[in-house]
Amino acid sequence: MNVSLSFCQPSTLCISKRQLLPSTSTPILFSFSHSHKKRRHFVTCASSSELPLLPFPIDQVLVPSEAKTLHLYEARYLALLEESLFKKKKFFVHFVLDPIAINDTSGEASFAARYGCLVAIEKVEQLEIGALVSIRGIGRVKILKFQQAEPYLTGAVIPLLDNIPHSDTELSSKVLKIKEALRSLNSLEIKLKAPQEALLQTLTANSLRWSENTPALDCDNSFIPPLAELVSFAALQPVSGSSESELLKLQKKKLRAMDIKDTLDRLEDSIGYVQDNISLVAAKLAIQSLDSRL
């Protein structure tokens, strides 16, 4: 493998790569340079942690409180899993590769390493080939630099938390409102008969329950967002029987939510999204009721 590493600016990492995502075996080529995208400003912690990093395409961003199941079977990712389980207290970082440019000479695309999320491994099920790994998003992180490229990526990360310029009363009011909206949505979803291949109906309830009762985690507390910030992400889950266009809308919402640095703004955004979903599921229920009478 031919790997060259350089680091220009701590706030931005750009990767020029020949296949970095899971399920590939092509050599990796890295270069780090300045991105022209607008920088985000968050509350950060001075101390950093070195953790394994697992990259995904831009349409697979993971938000705090979200649960996800991965099928890992390549040797390098099983090595990453072993490192996380036995040396990193069941933690690693999920991040996405955001395409930013294409080299006119080589035709090779450049990608920014963005939307990092610290994840905890909740369950591992061994398979004949590889393992099913259940993970949970904990909180956003910033990748400061890559430490190694093989057999898998590792890097130094610090937590990213919202600025909190609002009073507890303002936040509590919005948190209560989104909780009520999510419970109403969940009640409607339970009544909706989704096809067997549809996503589980309890994803939003699952994320909300975890946010409200975050288990004790063996990590620096600065990586764990406060309740209001966690709840602001809990709404960003697919509802039963979501169409492709609805899932695309959700992905855009998740990207926006990861960029927002104000908890109240994200809560208001999420409340609007949940209310839209309540109307959507109610309409589907009405159609389902009419069909059952025919």
Side-chain angles (χ1 to χ4, degrees), residues 24-37:
T24 65
S25 56
T26 312
I28 307 169
L29 184 65
F30 299 88
S31 71
F32 303 162
S33 60
H34 174 67
S35 168
H36 295 291
K37 293 196 173 185

Side-chain angles (χ1 to χ4, degrees), residues 43 161-168 171 226 228-229 261-264:
V43 176
L161 300 175
D162 286 341
N163 293 319
I164 308 177
H166 308 285
S167 68
D168 290 341
L171 289 174
E229 185 171 336
K261 60 181 180 288
D262 186 294
T263 304
L264 192 62

Side-chain angles (χ1 to χ4, degrees), residues 6-270:
S6 62
F7 191 65
C8 297
Q9 184 176 355
S11 63
T12 306
L13 298 179
C14 301
I15 307 171
S16 174
K17 61 116 184 176
R18 297 176 184 173
Q19 298 294 344
L20 182 58
L21 304 179
S23 303
T24 65
S25 56
T26 312
I28 307 169
L29 184 65
F30 299 88
S31 71
F32 303 162
S33 60
H34 174 67
S35 168
H36 295 291
K37 293 196 173 185
K38 185 177 180 181
R39 293 176 59 184
R40 293 173 289 163
H41 297 277
F42 297 92
V43 176
T44 60
C45 177
S47 60
S48 64
S49 296
E50 183 179 345
L51 289 169
L53 310 174
L54 191 59
F56 290 85
I58 190 67
D59 62 351
Q60 293 187 36
V61 64
L62 185 82
V63 298
S65 82
E66 182 178 3
K68 185 175 184 177
T69 300
L70 309 174
H71 180 199
L72 302 181
Y73 54 88
E74 290 187 58
R76 55 179 168 164
Y77 297 121
L78 292 175
L80 180 151
L81 175 61
E82 183 177 3
E83 170 85 4
S84 300
L85 285 172
F86 300 112
K87 295 183 180 179
K88 298 300 180 182
K89 301 179 180 180
K90 300 184 178 181
F91 295 106
F92 65 88
V93 171
H94 179 298
F95 75 98
V96 300
L97 298 175
D98 188 8
I100 57 174
I102 296 179
N103 187 305
D104 293 334
T105 304
S106 66
E108 185 176 81
S110 292
F111 295 76
R114 303 188 69 205
Y115 304 117
C117 186
L118 176 69
V119 301
I121 298 171
E122 294 189 324
K123 180 182 177 183
V124 177
E125 179 185 347
Q126 291 188 337
L127 303 175
E128 287 187 14
I129 301 177
L132 283 181
V133 184
S134 300
I135 62 174
R136 174 80 63 176
I138 306 300
R140 290 170 297 171
V141 298
K142 175 182 180 179
I143 303 173
L144 293 177
K145 61 180 177 179
F146 292 117
Q147 306 281 31
Q148 71 174 40
E150 54 180 290
Y152 50 82
L153 285 173
T154 67
V157 303
I158 56 173
L160 291 178
L161 300 175
D162 286 341
N163 293 319
I164 308 177
H166 308 285
S167 68
D168 290 341
T169 302
E170 285 182 287
L171 289 174
S172 297
S173 173
K174 294 296 182 181
V175 167
L176 180 61
K177 186 172 182 178
I178 198 168
K179 285 182 179 181
E180 292 173 347
L182 285 171
R183 291 183 177 116
S184 296
L185 175 61
N186 187 60
S187 297
L188 290 173
E189 282 194 83
I190 290 173
K191 299 175 184 177
L192 187 64
K193 294 180 181 178
Q196 290 184 349
E197 67 272 14
L199 294 168
L200 294 175
Q201 296 182 336
T202 56
L203 293 175
T204 50
N206 179 281
S207 289
L208 178 60
R209 191 181 308 115
W210 185 88
S211 298
E212 292 179 306
N213 304 284
T214 305
L217 298 168
D218 191 8
C219 69
D220 187 333
N221 286 336
S222 63
F223 282 90
I224 304 173
L227 173 64
E229 185 171 336
L230 282 173
V231 171
S232 72
F233 284 104
L236 302 173
Q237 305 297 325
V239 298
S240 304
S242 293
S243 65
E244 288 188 14
S245 63
E246 290 162 356
L247 291 174
L248 180 60
K249 177 182 177 181
L250 172 60
Q251 286 301 318
K252 292 179 179 179
K253 285 286 185 182
K254 289 166 74 173
L255 291 172
R256 171 174 161 76
M258 291 290 275
D259 274 328
I260 291 175
K261 60 181 180 288
D262 186 294
T263 304
L264 192 62
D265 286 349
R266 191 184 305 102
L267 282 167
E268 291 174 343
D269 215 37
S270 292

